[in-house]
Amino acid sequence: ALRWLLLLALFTGMRQGELCQLQTTDVEQDESGVWVFRVRAEADAQHLKTEAAERTVPLHSDLIRCGFLEYVQRLPKGRVFPGLKPGGPDGKLNTYLSKAFTAYRRSVGVTRPRLVYHSLRKNAAQALKNAGVSANQIAELIGHARGFTIETYAPHGLPVLALQELVEKISYPRLDLSHLSVDREQRSAE
């Protein structure tokens, strides 16, 4: 789960709680053909931080290349990360994720102070800003309020294809994911 949760945070900007509570039914192909996460609160299954958190987030092509769809399709109906166990006084699924991330980053020699799992979400927002994406568009994609004017006079979100264009602007030029590519794995198996 840690591998996917790190990549998902980097390439979607989603909160760790949103990612940890994803259901297999939340990963779907939109009517436009784009694979998306549906971040929504349903019955008591999911708890979202804000009203703006309920949104559609397209899957970045790098996540698809790395095999995330194949991973989800192999799962039985239920949670995308069934191995995550509730913890802490509030029983949240992300309780142990922060600890696992800290242990992992230290084990690979990343010891910069104030670096936490939430830093991955900040990286996604910064990558969007670096690509010239507007503050309102970044807010819509990562689940923040977009401000009075937009919420009042243009309350409907961007179409999925426009969101897909935005998410594809998340780029990390020094991050090489070729070793995770499903195509590479399929070629080596042949």
Side-chain angles (χ1 to χ4, degrees), residues 81-111:
F81 302 107
L84 295 178
K85 303 296 179 215
D90 52 6
K92 289 186 176 179
L93 291 170
N94 60 331
T95 297
Y96 301 110
L97 174 60
S98 292
K99 293 176 185 180
F101 172 71
T102 299
Y104 171 74
R105 73 171 175 77
R106 287 179 180 158
S107 75
V108 297
V110 179
T111 58

mmCIF file of all heavy atoms in Angstrom, residues 81-111:
data_model
loop_
_atom_site.group_PDB
_atom_site.id
_atom_site.type_symbol
_atom_site.label_atom_id
_atom_site.label_comp_id
_atom_site.label_asym_id
_atom_site.label_seq_id
_atom_site.Cartn_x
_atom_site.Cartn_y
_atom_site.Cartn_z
ATOM 1 N N PHE A 81 -7.109 -0.314 -0.392
ATOM 2 C CA PHE A 81 -5.974 -0.708 0.434
ATOM 3 C C PHE A 81 -6.489 -1.507 1.627
ATOM 4 O O PHE A 81 -6.541 -1.005 2.758
ATOM 5 C CB PHE A 81 -5.167 0.522 0.869
ATOM 6 C CG PHE A 81 -4.682 1.313 -0.308
ATOM 7 C CD1 PHE A 81 -5.247 2.539 -0.626
ATOM 8 C CD2 PHE A 81 -3.684 0.815 -1.139
ATOM 9 C CE1 PHE A 81 -4.816 3.253 -1.729
ATOM 10 C CE2 PHE A 81 -3.256 1.514 -2.258
ATOM 11 C CZ PHE A 81 -3.818 2.733 -2.550
ATOM 12 N N PRO A 82 -6.872 -2.753 1.384
ATOM 13 C CA PRO A 82 -7.499 -3.549 2.440
ATOM 14 C C PRO A 82 -6.570 -3.871 3.609
ATOM 15 O O PRO A 82 -7.041 -4.192 4.696
ATOM 16 C CB PRO A 82 -7.928 -4.829 1.714
ATOM 17 C CG PRO A 82 -7.059 -4.902 0.506
ATOM 18 C CD PRO A 82 -6.757 -3.486 0.125
ATOM 19 N N GLY A 83 -5.267 -3.745 3.414
ATOM 20 C CA GLY A 83 -4.326 -4.046 4.483
ATOM 21 C C GLY A 83 -4.211 -2.955 5.528
ATOM 22 O O GLY A 83 -3.634 -3.180 6.599
ATOM 23 N N LEU A 84 -4.750 -1.778 5.251
ATOM 24 C CA LEU A 84 -4.688 -0.690 6.227
ATOM 25 C C LEU A 84 -5.669 -0.970 7.359
ATOM 26 O O LEU A 84 -6.828 -1.285 7.119
ATOM 27 C CB LEU A 84 -5.037 0.650 5.571
ATOM 28 C CG LEU A 84 -4.080 1.148 4.497
ATOM 29 C CD1 LEU A 84 -4.594 2.457 3.906
ATOM 30 C CD2 LEU A 84 -2.672 1.329 5.047
ATOM 31 N N LYS A 85 -5.161 -0.862 8.561
ATOM 32 C CA LYS A 85 -5.992 -1.120 9.739
ATOM 33 C C LYS A 85 -6.285 0.190 10.460
ATOM 34 O O LYS A 85 -5.422 1.055 10.566
ATOM 35 C CB LYS A 85 -5.279 -2.075 10.696
ATOM 36 C CG LYS A 85 -4.899 -3.401 10.060
ATOM 37 C CD LYS A 85 -6.116 -4.182 9.636
ATOM 38 C CE LYS A 85 -5.712 -5.491 8.971
ATOM 39 N NZ LYS A 85 -6.593 -5.880 7.906
ATOM 40 N N PRO A 86 -7.510 0.341 10.971
ATOM 41 C CA PRO A 86 -7.835 1.545 11.736
ATOM 42 C C PRO A 86 -6.957 1.648 12.976
ATOM 43 O O PRO A 86 -6.572 0.637 13.556
ATOM 44 C CB PRO A 86 -9.300 1.348 12.128
ATOM 45 C CG PRO A 86 -9.803 0.229 11.285
ATOM 46 C CD PRO A 86 -8.620 -0.583 10.879
ATOM 47 N N GLY A 87 -6.644 2.877 13.343
ATOM 48 C CA GLY A 87 -5.818 3.067 14.527
ATOM 49 C C GLY A 87 -6.080 4.401 15.184
ATOM 50 O O GLY A 87 -6.805 5.237 14.657
ATOM 51 N N GLY A 88 -5.471 4.582 16.327
ATOM 52 C CA GLY A 88 -5.639 5.817 17.065
ATOM 53 C C GLY A 88 -6.997 5.893 17.721
ATOM 54 O O GLY A 88 -7.858 5.047 17.509
ATOM 55 N N PRO A 89 -7.215 6.937 18.477
ATOM 56 C CA PRO A 89 -8.477 7.078 19.202
ATOM 57 C C PRO A 89 -9.689 7.266 18.290
ATOM 58 O O PRO A 89 -10.806 6.933 18.660
ATOM 59 C CB PRO A 89 -8.268 8.314 20.084
ATOM 60 C CG PRO A 89 -7.125 9.045 19.471
ATOM 61 C CD PRO A 89 -6.294 8.029 18.752
ATOM 62 N N ASP A 90 -9.447 7.770 17.065
ATOM 63 C CA ASP A 90 -10.561 8.011 16.152
ATOM 64 C C ASP A 90 -10.742 6.880 15.141
ATOM 65 O O ASP A 90 -11.647 6.922 14.309
ATOM 66 C CB ASP A 90 -10.393 9.351 15.428
ATOM 67 C CG ASP A 90 -9.028 9.488 14.770
ATOM 68 O OD1 ASP A 90 -8.245 8.510 14.766
ATOM 69 O OD2 ASP A 90 -8.737 10.582 14.266
ATOM 70 N N GLY A 91 -9.899 5.859 15.174
ATOM 71 C CA GLY A 91 -10.051 4.698 14.298
ATOM 72 C C GLY A 91 -9.854 4.995 12.823
ATOM 73 O O GLY A 91 -10.433 4.315 11.971
ATOM 74 N N LYS A 92 -9.027 5.981 12.483
ATOM 75 C CA LYS A 92 -8.822 6.337 11.073
ATOM 76 C C LYS A 92 -7.845 5.373 10.402
ATOM 77 O O LYS A 92 -6.927 4.852 11.033
ATOM 78 C CB LYS A 92 -8.308 7.768 10.947
ATOM 79 C CG LYS A 92 -9.360 8.803 11.279
ATOM 80 C CD LYS A 92 -8.861 10.199 11.003
ATOM 81 C CE LYS A 92 -9.986 11.209 11.265
ATOM 82 N NZ LYS A 92 -9.533 12.571 11.025
ATOM 83 N N LEU A 93 -8.050 5.171 9.108
ATOM 84 C CA LEU A 93 -7.210 4.255 8.354
ATOM 85 C C LEU A 93 -5.813 4.801 8.072
ATOM 86 O O LEU A 93 -4.911 4.048 7.745
ATOM 87 C CB LEU A 93 -7.882 3.908 7.019
ATOM 88 C CG LEU A 93 -9.145 3.061 7.121
ATOM 89 C CD1 LEU A 93 -9.845 2.986 5.780
ATOM 90 C CD2 LEU A 93 -8.799 1.671 7.628
ATOM 91 N N ASN A 94 -5.624 6.104 8.190
ATOM 92 C CA ASN A 94 -4.317 6.685 7.872
ATOM 93 C C ASN A 94 -3.410 6.842 9.089
ATOM 94 O O ASN A 94 -2.308 7.364 8.968
ATOM 95 C CB ASN A 94 -4.479 8.024 7.153
ATOM 96 C CG ASN A 94 -5.234 9.051 7.954
ATOM 97 O OD1 ASN A 94 -6.080 8.713 8.771
ATOM 98 N ND2 ASN A 94 -4.956 10.315 7.710
ATOM 99 N N THR A 95 -3.817 6.344 10.241
ATOM 100 C CA THR A 95 -3.022 6.511 11.460
ATOM 101 C C THR A 95 -1.609 5.969 11.292
ATOM 102 O O THR A 95 -0.634 6.626 11.641
ATOM 103 C CB THR A 95 -3.713 5.814 12.650
ATOM 104 O OG1 THR A 95 -4.967 6.456 12.864
ATOM 105 C CG2 THR A 95 -2.873 5.896 13.914
ATOM 106 N N TYR A 96 -1.484 4.769 10.758
ATOM 107 C CA TYR A 96 -0.170 4.137 10.655
ATOM 108 C C TYR A 96 0.575 4.541 9.390
ATOM 109 O O TYR A 96 1.769 4.299 9.275
ATOM 110 C CB TYR A 96 -0.310 2.619 10.743
ATOM 111 C CG TYR A 96 -0.951 2.202 12.049
ATOM 112 C CD1 TYR A 96 -2.236 1.685 12.073
ATOM 113 C CD2 TYR A 96 -0.278 2.378 13.256
ATOM 114 C CE1 TYR A 96 -2.834 1.320 13.273
ATOM 115 C CE2 TYR A 96 -0.870 2.023 14.459
ATOM 116 C CZ TYR A 96 -2.149 1.488 14.458
ATOM 117 O OH TYR A 96 -2.737 1.147 15.647
ATOM 118 N N LEU A 97 -0.106 5.174 8.443
ATOM 119 C CA LEU A 97 0.537 5.584 7.198
ATOM 120 C C LEU A 97 1.638 6.608 7.452
ATOM 121 O O LEU A 97 2.735 6.485 6.908
ATOM 122 C CB LEU A 97 -0.488 6.144 6.211
ATOM 123 C CG LEU A 97 0.079 6.745 4.931
ATOM 124 C CD1 LEU A 97 0.878 5.706 4.145
ATOM 125 C CD2 LEU A 97 -1.046 7.311 4.085
ATOM 126 N N SER A 98 1.364 7.611 8.259
ATOM 127 C CA SER A 98 2.370 8.637 8.543
ATOM 128 C C SER A 98 3.610 8.012 9.178
ATOM 129 O O SER A 98 4.736 8.362 8.827
ATOM 130 C CB SER A 98 1.804 9.710 9.468
ATOM 131 O OG SER A 98 0.817 10.444 8.788
ATOM 132 N N LYS A 99 3.402 7.075 10.093
ATOM 133 C CA LYS A 99 4.531 6.402 10.742
ATOM 134 C C LYS A 99 5.308 5.551 9.740
ATOM 135 O O LYS A 99 6.541 5.546 9.746
ATOM 136 C CB LYS A 99 4.033 5.546 11.904
ATOM 137 C CG LYS A 99 3.472 6.364 13.048
ATOM 138 C CD LYS A 99 2.908 5.486 14.135
ATOM 139 C CE LYS A 99 2.259 6.356 15.202
ATOM 140 N NZ LYS A 99 1.689 5.597 16.276
ATOM 141 N N ALA A 100 4.592 4.855 8.874
ATOM 142 C CA ALA A 100 5.252 4.016 7.862
ATOM 143 C C ALA A 100 6.041 4.876 6.887
ATOM 144 O O ALA A 100 7.155 4.520 6.485
ATOM 145 C CB ALA A 100 4.220 3.173 7.121
ATOM 146 N N PHE A 101 5.479 6.023 6.495
ATOM 147 C CA PHE A 101 6.180 6.929 5.589
ATOM 148 C C PHE A 101 7.462 7.445 6.241
ATOM 149 O O PHE A 101 8.524 7.455 5.618
ATOM 150 C CB PHE A 101 5.278 8.103 5.191
ATOM 151 C CG PHE A 101 6.003 9.165 4.406
ATOM 152 C CD1 PHE A 101 6.400 8.924 3.101
ATOM 153 C CD2 PHE A 101 6.306 10.386 4.978
ATOM 154 C CE1 PHE A 101 7.083 9.889 2.376
ATOM 155 C CE2 PHE A 101 6.991 11.362 4.263
ATOM 156 C CZ PHE A 101 7.377 11.108 2.947
ATOM 157 N N THR A 102 7.369 7.868 7.489
ATOM 158 C CA THR A 102 8.543 8.383 8.188
ATOM 159 C C THR A 102 9.622 7.306 8.289
ATOM 160 O O THR A 102 10.797 7.566 8.014
ATOM 161 C CB THR A 102 8.156 8.904 9.582
ATOM 162 O OG1 THR A 102 7.209 9.964 9.421
ATOM 163 C CG2 THR A 102 9.365 9.413 10.347
ATOM 164 N N ALA A 103 9.241 6.098 8.649
ATOM 165 C CA ALA A 103 10.219 5.007 8.749
ATOM 166 C C ALA A 103 10.851 4.726 7.385
ATOM 167 O O ALA A 103 12.068 4.545 7.283
ATOM 168 C CB ALA A 103 9.545 3.751 9.293
ATOM 169 N N TYR A 104 10.028 4.707 6.338
ATOM 170 C CA TYR A 104 10.552 4.433 4.990
ATOM 171 C C TYR A 104 11.524 5.525 4.547
ATOM 172 O O TYR A 104 12.626 5.228 4.091
ATOM 173 C CB TYR A 104 9.406 4.312 3.985
ATOM 174 C CG TYR A 104 9.904 4.255 2.565
ATOM 175 C CD1 TYR A 104 10.512 3.106 2.090
ATOM 176 C CD2 TYR A 104 9.806 5.359 1.731
ATOM 177 C CE1 TYR A 104 11.011 3.057 0.784
ATOM 178 C CE2 TYR A 104 10.296 5.317 0.441
ATOM 179 C CZ TYR A 104 10.894 4.159 -0.032
ATOM 180 O OH TYR A 104 11.392 4.118 -1.305
ATOM 181 N N ARG A 105 11.131 6.793 4.659
ATOM 182 C CA ARG A 105 12.001 7.867 4.167
ATOM 183 C C ARG A 105 13.316 7.902 4.938
ATOM 184 O O ARG A 105 14.373 8.144 4.361
ATOM 185 C CB ARG A 105 11.290 9.216 4.163
ATOM 186 C CG ARG A 105 11.079 9.849 5.497
ATOM 187 C CD ARG A 105 10.558 11.290 5.386
ATOM 188 N NE ARG A 105 10.264 11.828 6.671
ATOM 189 C CZ ARG A 105 11.171 12.268 7.540
ATOM 190 N NH1 ARG A 105 12.442 12.235 7.242
ATOM 191 N NH2 ARG A 105 10.795 12.739 8.718
ATOM 192 N N ARG A 106 13.279 7.623 6.218
ATOM 193 C CA ARG A 106 14.524 7.568 6.999
ATOM 194 C C ARG A 106 15.395 6.394 6.557
ATOM 195 O O ARG A 106 16.613 6.514 6.487
ATOM 196 C CB ARG A 106 14.215 7.475 8.490
ATOM 197 C CG ARG A 106 13.713 8.774 9.064
ATOM 198 C CD ARG A 106 13.398 8.661 10.538
ATOM 199 N NE ARG A 106 12.917 9.935 11.061
ATOM 200 C CZ ARG A 106 12.190 10.044 12.171
ATOM 201 N NH1 ARG A 106 11.878 8.982 12.880
ATOM 202 N NH2 ARG A 106 11.789 11.239 12.564
ATOM 203 N N SER A 107 14.756 5.257 6.229
ATOM 204 C CA SER A 107 15.514 4.072 5.819
ATOM 205 C C SER A 107 16.235 4.267 4.489
ATOM 206 O O SER A 107 17.225 3.602 4.220
ATOM 207 C CB SER A 107 14.602 2.846 5.735
ATOM 208 O OG SER A 107 13.787 2.897 4.575
ATOM 209 N N VAL A 108 15.732 5.197 3.660
ATOM 210 C CA VAL A 108 16.393 5.475 2.380
ATOM 211 C C VAL A 108 17.234 6.751 2.449
ATOM 212 O O VAL A 108 17.702 7.245 1.430
ATOM 213 C CB VAL A 108 15.388 5.533 1.200
ATOM 214 C CG1 VAL A 108 14.713 4.189 1.000
ATOM 215 C CG2 VAL A 108 14.360 6.634 1.390
ATOM 216 N N GLY A 109 17.432 7.270 3.658
ATOM 217 C CA GLY A 109 18.339 8.387 3.857
ATOM 218 C C GLY A 109 17.754 9.773 3.680
ATOM 219 O O GLY A 109 18.489 10.750 3.591
ATOM 220 N N VAL A 110 16.446 9.893 3.638
ATOM 221 C CA VAL A 110 15.807 11.207 3.519
ATOM 222 C C VAL A 110 15.446 11.663 4.931
ATOM 223 O O VAL A 110 14.496 11.153 5.523
ATOM 224 C CB VAL A 110 14.556 11.164 2.602
ATOM 225 C CG1 VAL A 110 13.909 12.531 2.520
ATOM 226 C CG2 VAL A 110 14.922 10.648 1.224
ATOM 227 N N THR A 111 16.230 12.584 5.450
ATOM 228 C CA THR A 111 16.071 12.975 6.855
ATOM 229 C C THR A 111 15.821 14.463 7.045
ATOM 230 O O THR A 111 15.959 14.976 8.145
ATOM 231 C CB THR A 111 17.334 12.570 7.646
ATOM 232 O OG1 THR A 111 18.472 13.200 7.050
ATOM 233 C CG2 THR A 111 17.511 11.061 7.661
#
